[in-house]
């Protein structure tokens, strides 16, 4: 579905990448009005935007519920293309929950109804699943198909996401120059489009790349930038940043710095869906345990060795930003 910048649906999707908490309020109102006016296509896009935002600020169950509603509304509107776009988003929810067969099935169901840039977005989503399945070569092959098509279509919203994801694949392969190139280009696009959340995610991943290269001051600088933005937006990625900083400091032997409590509390679980409050399950509790380990030098040294191995923070299992976009 091609959307112009003035399209209200396109603006909702952009806001979901910029300020998801604000989007939750705005999109709920748009969805109600669209239903009242019989505009089921716009209601479907609004529900999809709510699903994207819910992933960042509530939980996976809420995100999946909104995305399934988006699919139903698109089907009632007679728009298989809109339903397919929602399926791509739902695919990542299954991916994060470890249901890879369901994730791939959603992509396969979406593909027949997508053309051009839509098919490129599907390939990008398939690449994320390959990455979660530890298939970096297949992921890069899918990105090679997706990126030129997104550039040709001028789909910069998805392009920044794909570049951020591809940068992580390069990082996992120790291809640091290529990783930084992709992440800096994603950063540039985020600034241009005003995507505050995506920009913070790019900074966090640049911090990770800097840490892998042994550039601790640069890594801490990027993580500080990301932390400030995540706190302002009140999103779950904050707990990842706190965990990543703690493990980085331990891996560098900076036990005293790692032992300090965060300037503000750890993110709290929200409501009854606490176990899905963070899209990376166990991250907040792991971060707290890592911090507590630093109160004893006897515990800190093994923790530092664990952090130093396999790229600091176990990125092979992390949630990758662009995939959910």
């Amino acid at each position: 579905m091609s959307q112009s910048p003035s399209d209200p649906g396109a603006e909702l999707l952009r806001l979901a990448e910029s300020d998801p908490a604000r989007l939750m309020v705005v999109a709920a109102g748009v969805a109600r009005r669209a239903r009242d006016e019989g505009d089921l296509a716009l209601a479907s896009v609004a529900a999809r935007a709510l699903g994207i935002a819910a992933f960042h600020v509530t939980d996976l169950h809420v995100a999946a519920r909104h995305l399934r509603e988006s699919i139903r509304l698109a089907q009632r509107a007679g728009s298989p293309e809109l339903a397919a776009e929602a399926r791509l988003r739902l695919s990542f929810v299954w991916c994060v929950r470890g249901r890879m067969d369901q994730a791939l099935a959603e992509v396969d169901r979406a593909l027949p109804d997508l053309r051009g840039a839509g098919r490129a977005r599907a390939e990008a989503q398939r690449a994320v699943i390959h990455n979660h399945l530890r298939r970096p070569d297949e992921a890069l092959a899918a990105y090679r198909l997706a990126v030129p098509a997104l550039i040709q279509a001028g789909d910069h919203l998805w392009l920044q996401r794909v570049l951020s994801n591809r940068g992580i694949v390069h990082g996992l392969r120790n291809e640091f120059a290529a990783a930084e190139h992709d992440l800096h280009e994603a950063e540039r696009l985020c600034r241009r489009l005003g995507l505050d959340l995506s920009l913070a995610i790019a900074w966090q991943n640049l911090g990770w790349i800097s840490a892998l290269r042994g550039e601790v001051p640069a890594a801490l600088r990027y993580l500080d930038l990301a932390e400030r933005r995540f706190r302002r937006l009140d999103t779950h990625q904050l707990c990842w940043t706190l965990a990543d900083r703690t493990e980085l400091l331990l891996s560098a032997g900076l036990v005293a710095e790692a032992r300090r409590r965060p300037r503000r509390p750890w993110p709290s679980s929200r409501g009854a869906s606490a176990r899905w409050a963070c899209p990376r399950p166990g991250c907040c509790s792991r971060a707290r345990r890592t911090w507590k380990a630093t109160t004893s030098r006897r515990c800190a040294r093994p923790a530092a060795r664990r952090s130093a191995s396999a790229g600091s923070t176990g990125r092979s299992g992390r949630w990758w930003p662009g995939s959910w976009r």
Side-chain angles (χ1 to χ4, degrees):
M1 178 180 172
S2 176
Q3 293 171 317
S4 68
S6 60
D7 183 341
E11 176 57 23
L12 290 176
L13 296 174
R14 189 201 68 79
L15 189 58
E17 308 280 352
S18 177
D19 190 342
R22 181 176 165 228
L23 179 280
M24 295 290 287
V25 177
V26 173
V30 171
R32 283 193 299 271
R33 289 192 297 274
R35 287 169 180 272
D36 291 344
E37 296 168 5
D39 190 345
L40 297 180
L42 179 56
S44 173
V45 175
R48 190 189 341 153
L50 284 167
I52 297 168
F55 188 91
H56 298 298
V57 299
T58 57
D59 60 53
L60 298 181
H61 293 306
V62 174
R65 187 177 71 241
H66 284 303
L67 292 168
R68 286 192 291 264
E69 177 65 8
S70 177
I71 293 168
R72 286 192 291 268
L73 288 166
Q75 290 169 337
R76 288 174 57 195
S79 177
E81 186 178 4
L82 282 178
E85 294 286 357
R87 289 190 189 284
L88 296 183
R89 304 294 189 159
L90 184 57
S91 170
F92 190 65
V93 174
W94 300 135
C95 187
V96 170
R97 295 180 67 175
R99 300 181 182 179
M100 299 305 175
D101 289 343
Q102 286 178 268
L104 286 168
E106 291 293 352
V107 175
D108 289 340
R109 291 180 69 182
L111 270 171
D113 297 316
L114 296 169
R115 302 288 182 274
R119 292 189 74 86
R121 291 189 283 272
E123 287 299 330
Q125 183 56 52
R126 193 189 300 277
V128 170
I129 298 169
H130 282 313
N131 219 359
H132 274 265
L133 292 171
R134 316 297 194 265
R135 300 171 182 168
D137 292 338
E138 289 91 335
L140 287 176
Y143 286 135
R144 279 193 290 272
L145 293 174
V147 169
L150 293 173
I151 293 173
Q152 183 177 5
D155 189 348
H156 295 147
L157 186 65
W158 264 81
L159 180 61
Q160 60 82 20
R161 181 181 309 127
V162 169
L163 291 173
S164 197
N165 278 348
R166 192 173 69 177
I168 292 172
V169 180
H170 285 309
L172 291 169
R173 292 160 60 94
N174 294 327
E175 298 166 351
F176 300 134
E180 288 186 336
H181 179 273
D182 277 351
L183 289 167
H184 281 304
E185 181 61 16
E187 179 187 25
R188 184 188 69 80
L189 288 170
C190 290
R191 290 183 185 277
R192 176 180 158 191
L193 298 172
L195 304 176
D196 287 358
L197 174 61
S198 296
L199 178 59
I201 290 170
W203 285 335
Q204 184 182 17
N205 289 326
L206 282 164
W208 171 57
I209 294 295
S210 296
L212 291 180
R213 302 188 76 160
E215 299 171 354
V216 175
L220 291 172
R221 183 171 65 251
Y222 280 122
L223 291 175
D224 284 345
L225 287 170
E227 180 189 348
R228 287 195 291 271
R229 189 62 56 91
F230 289 144
R231 285 194 186 280
R232 182 170 66 79
L233 296 173
D234 194 22
T235 63
H236 300 312
Q237 285 87 352
L238 173 59
C239 68
W240 304 359
T241 305
L242 295 175
D244 289 352
R245 179 191 289 111
T246 299
E247 294 185 351
L248 170 62
L249 292 169
L250 287 173
S251 70
L254 300 172
V255 177
E257 288 82 355
R259 185 182 293 126
R260 295 180 188 135
R261 288 187 179 275
R263 289 186 297 274
R264 293 174 58 187
W266 297 99
S268 59
S269 299
R270 301 169 185 230
S273 302
R275 69 190 182 93
W276 284 111
C278 176
R280 188 166 69 180
C283 179
C284 290
S285 58
R286 178 178 60 80
R288 291 188 185 94
R289 287 195 303 270
T290 301
W291 181 84
K292 288 178 180 177
T294 67
T295 60
S296 165
R297 290 182 184 274
R298 180 168 56 87
C299 297
R301 287 173 183 168
R305 287 196 293 272
R306 287 194 300 272
S307 299
S309 66
S312 177
T313 56
R315 294 292 165 150
S316 61
R318 77 167 292 172
W319 167 58
W320 295 307
S323 61
W324 177 233
R325 334 252 204 166

